[in-house]
Amino acid sequence: MVEMKLEGLQCASCAAKIEEKLKSNEFLQEVSFSFATKKLSFKSDLESEKLQNLVQNLIDKIEEGITVGIETPDSQNVIEKKSFKDLFLRNARTIGGALIFFTLLISDPTEPILKYSAYISAYLLIGGDIAWRALKNLLKGRLFDEYFLMTLATTGAFALGEIHEAVAVMLFYKIGEGFQNYAVDHSRRSIRSLLNIKAEYANLINGESIERVTPRSLQIDDHIVVLAGEKVPVDGVIVRGTSSLDTSALTGESMPRSAEKDSDVLSGFINIEAPLTVKVTKRFENSAVSRILHMVENATGKKAKTEQFITKFARVYTPIVVFGALALAFIPPLLGSGDVREWISRSLIFLVISCPCALVLSVPLGFFGGLGAASRKGILIKGGNYLEALNSIDTFVFDKTGTLTKGNFAIEKISGTDTLKLAAQLEQQSTHPIARSIVSAYGKNINKNHMTDIREYPGQGIRGLYKDKELLVGNHRLLERFSIDFNEEKYAGTTVHIAYGGKHAGSIYIADEIKESSWNMSRKLKTAGADEVIMLTGDQKHIAEYVGEKLEIDKVYSELLPEDKMQHLEDLIEKGKKVLFTGDGINDAPVLARADIGVAMGGLGSDAAIEAADIVLMTDDPSKLLDAKKIAQTTRAIVLQNIIFALGVKLFFLTLGALGHASMYEAIFADVGVALLAVLNSMRILKK
Ligand code: ADP
Ligand code: MG
């Protein structure tokens, strides 16, 4: 994936044109452009220098003044806040024109030459650049361009002698455009500031001294110091010190988390109390912060259906309105009803309302806001499409171990001799939560060399040769598979059997705990509109049913192999259900990928799961799905409000204009106002 940034893009409706143009180029694939982040992404085989030229050339053909920059991971995502002075200078001509216009309104000169030349110069000062751009675009064959239409409308008004209107409409248009840009930049800034989680520097321990370095330069196993008040720059593990950490930027959790020697820390946490010495375990680009920023930034590339629809709609809206204007100007007079001048004057109102700006601006911004709000709560959603799809999910499916339960098993009982030692030898090779618990319960060093021929049986256990004899660790199905005789003792937790050299050597009895945040979740999901909550697990029936009953889950399927889980999921999808699957990803990455929406646990989950999932829950709390659902709902409501409101107002003024009840003044005011309100409305999502 290549990413580029388009700086200097102001015109919202150009975004769609740019995307379309690039899509039709043979060298670029999977093109996506988001107006909200100004980020362009695509695939291509060309080398980067050629690409930049190619893209720049293509874009220059559409709109001038845009610079194409290559996105480097280090490029700062700051959006310059424009100073007041800057704003003033930039708009000096418009302000000058406005002053002349107001003087003219007050003094009201009657001498025609003086009057006309004064009005024309005011007009040119205010809208000269617009007219110039319109002309250039026209030469490039771009007819339905908002600049062109504004210019046409205002010069038309001039020609009809409506000189006040002509200047005023251009002035309002400019002011409106300025405000819109400001509002859009402001929104982008607020969303970005939510993601202000990157540390600027790291304190590297170098012998006796401490050096300030960039987080990117840190290597695995470096030791760094994180002082109180500082952000953790990369993921690592604490080697000295005790403190508490503010994890809210990543997880949305407001309660500080205590941390001591051997605790893992993630980049983006803030150290609150005392200095910590941290050993680096992940390089900057693989650390949590980089991964999160990358995901959120790229999320806007996967567009929601509504967003795609609006883009398509915007393309036809303008031509339709323009043809409407033409029809209005000429058909009634041809049919003999009234004065041509009157109808032309009415049709100009159409041109003023012909830009779909309000929609093009506010809909993508709405989704971007929703994604930002979710990531603030530790819910990483990988695309606007998933945020929107959350609203139509009716079936919530959960994995048990590591998802609804904590997955850190406590060993309650062990039978047989050397059972734990044998089990640990083999489980050393597995990432399954059961395996990790057994290894940490054993606690001693394990010599990996004694183990050969290791193979894991997903949903059953693991097998290998230990000192050349067969060792099996897993559930009853694994033992049955290898025809080992054993006695099953009744136990209210998970039983792990160990067989060595063809004989049952003993069992480890372990218990798991239900996560606090799993309680009541099922009921709340159903109150929030879910039809059914289902649990799919590879664990034994009696435990599965116990957990299912406690958590009020509608249907429980147990003792499933990974492929059985997939079968259940496909059956549901076949029945027309919209299915969300939540899992820790151990043994269920394919299911995550197949579900309409796959949700992975970000903390416990494996990298493969995080990769396969559409939504990642940073805190491993399944109940965050309720928050995600709420944010999805709000986003949808706000986007819908904007669409209805913007189209409603436009339709209203088109009708009024056609009937001769509205002037150009009112039309431009309504149009600009709507765009502004819609952008501001989108911002409400962040308050959720
Ligand atoms: P869940 O669907 O509940 O997350 P899994 O599919 O990951 O469960 O595993 C199902 C069952 O398979 C576990 O309950 C356990 O009995 C057995 N199992 C899987 N992997 C291992 C392993 N590495 N060691 C021991 N038992 C295992
Ligand atoms: Mg699992």
Side-chain angles (χ1 to χ4, degrees):
M1 235 11 174
V2 186
E3 280 157 24
M4 290 186 177
K5 195 128 205 167
L6 305 189
E7 286 304 344
L9 175 70
Q10 297 290 3
C11 134
S13 56
C14 299
K17 289 182 194 137
I18 289 177
E19 195 180 75
E20 199 186 356
K21 180 101 188 169
L22 297 180
K23 266 188 183 151
S24 65
N25 187 285
E26 53 182 326
F27 297 110
L28 311 175
Q29 291 93 38
E30 293 178 38
V31 177
S32 166
F33 177 66
S34 157
F35 183 72
T37 47
K38 298 203 176 172
K39 198 156 186 166
L40 174 72
S41 66
F42 53 84
K43 284 197 174 139
S44 178
D45 298 330
L46 297 184
E47 33 184 292
S48 74
E49 211 166 295
K50 265 198 199 137
L51 264 181
Q52 197 175 358
N53 284 335
L54 173 76
V55 173
Q56 181 80 61
N57 279 337
L58 287 173
I59 288 175
D60 282 345
K61 280 194 196 129
I62 299 171
E63 180 74 11
E64 291 187 0
I66 299 172
T67 30
V68 177
I70 297 219
E71 275 271 284
T72 60
D74 266 335
S75 52
Q76 279 293 320
N77 286 317
V78 281
I79 298 160
E80 292 275 319
K81 197 171 172 155
K82 294 185 187 84
S83 72
F84 198 68
K85 192 174 141 211
D86 209 38
L87 275 178
F88 184 83
L89 285 180
R90 194 178 297 240
N91 296 305
R93 268 185 302 166
T94 306
I95 295 167
L99 287 177
I100 297 179
F101 177 57
F102 289 129
T103 322
L104 284 171
L105 282 185
I106 297 164
S107 62
D108 197 16
T110 43
E111 162 64 36
I113 296 181
L114 175 71
K115 187 173 159 184
Y116 271 93
S117 53
Y119 269 99
I120 290 176
S121 35
Y123 176 83
L124 287 178
L125 277 173
I126 297 168
D129 53 337
I130 303 271
W132 179 236
R133 266 200 258 181
L135 196 69
K136 279 199 292 193
N137 287 341
L138 194 63
L139 294 178
K140 287 179 197 161
R142 272 181 51 200
L143 201 54
F144 300 122
D145 159 276
E146 64 177 285
Y147 304 125
F148 173 68
L149 297 168
M150 271 325 284
T151 312
L152 189 64
T154 46
T155 44
F158 255 119
L160 293 176
E162 299 168 0
I163 52 178
H164 296 268
E165 277 91 337
V167 180
V169 164
M170 197 49 112
L171 182 61
F172 281 143
Y173 174 72
K174 282 292 275 257
I175 294 174
E177 211 188 31
F179 269 119
Q180 269 170 37
N181 286 336
Y182 183 78
V184 170
D185 278 354
H186 178 78
S187 333
R188 287 214 197 97
R189 251 198 319 273
S190 347
I191 296 167
R192 278 279 162 61
S193 69
L194 291 183
L195 302 172
N196 182 18
I197 51 181
K198 226 191 266 184
E200 302 298 328
Y201 59 87
N203 309 314
L204 175 67
I205 303 181
N206 191 353
E208 295 289 280
S209 64
I210 290 179
E211 245 180 90
R212 229 180 219 220
V213 299
T214 62
R216 186 165 289 280
S217 65
L218 293 174
Q219 305 291 338
I220 289 177
D221 290 341
D222 276 350
H223 282 60
I224 55 173
V225 177
V226 183
L227 299 175
E230 286 182 341
K231 275 187 207 134
V232 177
V234 293
D235 298 358
V237 56
I238 297 176
V239 290
R240 194 166 58 221
T242 1
S243 182
S244 55
L245 297 167
D246 172 359
T247 66
S248 61
L250 263 59
T251 64
E253 253 5 285
S254 48
M255 274 288 283
R257 188 187 289 181
S258 62
E260 55 198 26
K261 186 170 181 305
D262 293 334
S263 312
D264 288 327
V265 291
L266 293 182
S267 49
F269 287 179
I270 298 170
N271 184 7
I272 305 178
E273 278 164 13
L276 292 171
T277 306
V278 173
K279 187 173 91 175
V280 176
T281 55
K282 287 215 176 110
R283 297 212 44 181
F284 178 77
E285 55 271 22
N286 298 323
S287 286
V289 156
S290 306
R291 289 218 310 247
I292 291 171
L293 287 177
H294 189 76
M295 263 183 221
V296 176
E297 287 270 312
N298 288 329
T300 48
K302 293 201 188 103
K303 290 182 185 165
K305 283 214 180 76
T306 313
E307 222 176 324
Q308 288 168 355
F309 167 74
I310 286 300
T311 314
K312 281 197 198 120
F313 175 79
R315 284 208 294 264
V316 294
Y317 173 81
T318 310
I320 289 177
V321 174
V322 173
F323 282 116
L326 272 176
L328 191 66
F330 297 109
I331 293 178
L334 282 179
L335 296 178
S337 81
D339 182 14
V340 186
R341 280 178 60 100
E342 167 64 18
W343 288 106
I344 291 186
S345 159
R346 288 184 192 184
S347 78
L348 294 182
I349 292 175
F350 273 45
L351 297 184
V352 169
I353 324 181
S354 65
C355 178
C357 304
L359 297 170
V360 178
L361 280 173
S362 68
V363 171
L365 214 52
F367 283 104
F368 189 42
L371 296 171
S375 69
R376 183 68 174 162
K377 290 206 145 88
I379 306 161
L380 301 184
I381 304 178
K382 290 194 194 166
N385 52 343
Y386 305 120
L387 182 61
E388 188 169 50
L390 260 176
N391 287 306
S392 51
I393 293 293
D394 48 33
T395 308
F396 287 77
V397 182
F398 292 90
D399 168 53
K400 180 184 74 79
T401 317
T403 303
L404 295 174
T405 65
K406 290 184 179 166
N408 49 3
F409 293 84
I411 294 188
E412 296 205 321
K413 196 164 67 161
I414 302 177
S415 71
T417 45
D418 271 351
T419 317
L420 186 60
K421 184 179 170 201
L422 279 171
Q425 301 293 329
L426 194 51
E427 294 285 32
Q428 167 77 19
Q429 313 286 335
S430 167
T431 53
H432 199 276
I434 292 181
R436 283 192 280 193
S437 314
I438 288 179
V439 171
S440 78
Y442 179 63
K444 289 180 209 149
N445 275 342
I446 296 167
N447 184 345
K448 283 186 197 164
N449 298 334
H450 295 311
M451 292 297 325
T452 50
D453 276 3
I454 296 146
R455 169 151 176 221
E456 192 146 5
Y457 295 85
Q460 301 185 343
I462 181 167
R463 172 209 174 265
L465 293 183
Y466 178 61
K467 298 188 176 160
D468 298 326
K469 277 199 272 179
E470 182 171 70
L471 177 60
L472 300 168
V473 183
N475 56 18
H476 62 100
R477 295 172 73 157
L478 185 76
L479 268 64
E480 281 156 14
R481 179 184 195 123
F482 287 91
S483 319
I484 309 273
D485 283 334
F486 64 99
N487 290 327
E488 183 98 72
E489 193 185 320
K490 263 219 160 329
Y491 172 65
T494 302
T495 310
V496 180
H497 297 289
I498 290 90
Y500 185 49
K503 279 206 230 22
H504 189 222
S507 306
I508 301 177
Y509 300 92
I510 53 184
D512 196 2
E513 254 179 289
I514 293 174
K515 286 183 192 169
E516 285 85 16
S517 82
S518 303
W519 294 101
N520 300 324
M521 179 193 56
S522 173
R523 187 161 7 106
K524 285 186 192 153
L525 276 175
K526 294 194 37 189
T527 318
D531 283 349
E532 208 170 33
V533 180
I534 297 174
M535 183 168 100
L536 301 179
T537 176
D539 212 349
Q540 284 142 301
K541 188 162 181 214
H542 60 277
I543 314 160
E545 284 184 345
Y546 171 80
V547 173
E549 196 178 320
K550 287 268 174 197
L551 298 183
E552 300 173 55
I553 286 171
D554 300 319
K555 280 192 191 143
V556 174
Y557 299 96
S558 55
E559 312 207 2
L560 304 174
L561 295 177
E563 53 267 34
D564 303 330
K565 288 189 186 178
M566 188 61 129
Q567 193 55 53
H568 277 284
L569 191 85
E570 300 220 299
D571 289 348
L572 286 168
I573 293 175
E574 205 131 289
K575 276 190 222 150
K577 303 277 185 202
K578 291 275 173 239
V579 187
L580 176 145
F581 178 84
T582 311
D584 63 348
I586 311 272
N587 294 343
D588 47 33
V591 187
L592 278 175
R594 178 71 181 92
D596 292 299
I597 298 183
V599 182
M601 302 287 137
L604 284 169
S606 61
D607 285 353
I610 291 173
E611 195 62 33
D614 309 315
I615 297 180
V616 180
L617 304 179
M618 293 303 289
T619 45
D620 295 345
D621 286 348
S623 66
K624 286 268 166 156
L625 285 175
L626 290 161
D627 291 318
K629 213 165 143 47
K630 219 175 273 161
I631 291 170
Q633 247 164 16
T634 314
T635 307
R636 178 175 62 177
I638 286 179
V639 165
L640 214 63
Q641 283 161 13
N642 285 346
I643 293 176
I644 292 174
F645 177 57
L647 285 183
V649 168
K650 289 205 183 232
L651 213 61
F652 182 64
F653 277 90
L654 286 174
T655 317
L656 282 191
L659 297 175
H661 293 311
S663 71
M664 269 170 116
Y665 275 127
E666 285 142 358
I668 187 80
F669 219 63
D671 205 49
V672 167
V674 163
L676 214 58
L677 285 177
V679 170
L680 293 178
N681 192 30
S682 303
M683 282 294 81
R684 289 196 303 130
I685 301 170
L686 295 182
K687 307 246 155 58
K688 289 282 156 181

